[in-house]
Amino acid sequence: MKKQLAALLFLLGSLEANDMGSLLFHGNCVTCHYELENKSAPAMIHVRERYLQAFPKKEDFVSFMSTWVMHPNEERSIMQDAIAKYELMPQLAFEKDVLEDIAEYIYETDFRKIHKNHNY
Ligand code: HEC
């Protein structure tokens, strides 16, 4: 047990910001946003594409996405079609810096590449 705890602490200590973003994304967003498949929400790959078109610069992408997710808001949405189809995303209780880590991870992750060896 002690050994396992030490291993876990080591793992946490060696996580980079990007890994943290990945963990947070998979723990909190994937329930609704599958990476490649539309489910109860648009697939993250589509959200990412839309955001990249609107905000090519990482800084703008992260700033807009983290602010929007903090307070989902129809007026400021850049995915009006998704709201019409799925209804507005519910507000989740997250700190802004957590949402920034997640948005950074989404900006940097080509979800199609990650899954090139998988069947979905
Ligand atoms: C309970 C389900 C649910 C969870 C959990 C969820 N979302 Fe969403 N999200 C939605 C739905 C539904 C939409 C599409 C409607 C909309 O755009 O509001 C959406 C839309 C979005 C959009 C597009 C915003 C726009 O411009 O309209 C972003 C960005 C987003 N989600 C990010 C996230 C992130 C990041 C997380 C994890 C922290 C997350 N979502 C967790 C349901 C969810």
Side-chain angles (χ1 to χ4, degrees):
M1 183 63 198
K2 235 185 189 164
K3 237 188 206 158
Q4 279 166 349
L5 189 64
L8 184 67
L9 288 177
F10 173 76
L11 189 70
L12 285 176
S14 61
L15 281 178
E16 311 231 334
N18 200 316
D19 300 326
M20 198 49 112
S22 168
L23 273 184
L24 292 164
F25 170 74
H26 287 98
N28 299 298
C29 313
V30 171
T31 22
C32 296
H33 295 280
Y34 280 29
E35 294 180 352
L36 304 179
E37 204 186 316
N38 295 326
K39 270 294 210 177
S40 58
M44 197 37 84
I45 193 163
H46 299 315
V47 176
R48 178 175 184 266
E49 269 161 18
R50 197 75 71 85
Y51 267 71
L52 280 176
Q53 276 167 13
F55 309 105
K57 275 180 40 203
K58 181 173 172 182
E59 219 183 299
D60 303 336
F61 182 105
V62 169
S63 159
F64 192 95
M65 187 181 281
S66 56
T67 306
W68 192 90
V69 172
M70 189 111 183
H71 303 288
N73 167 326
E74 185 161 356
E75 258 163 51
R76 293 179 42 114
S77 161
I78 61 163
M79 298 188 70
Q80 296 288 338
D81 50 328
I83 297 182
K85 188 166 169 197
Y86 301 99
E87 296 193 344
L88 183 67
M89 175 169 149
Q91 184 160 338
L92 312 164
F94 281 114
E95 300 289 332
K96 186 76 185 324
D97 56 344
V98 167
L99 293 174
E100 283 169 359
D101 279 354
I102 295 176
E104 248 176 70
Y105 167 75
I106 294 172
Y107 181 91
E108 278 162 9
T109 304
D110 183 345
F111 294 100
R112 238 183 271 275
K113 265 202 188 129
I114 289 191
H115 290 293
K116 66 174 185 266
N117 298 323
H118 293 249
N119 294 325
Y120 62 98

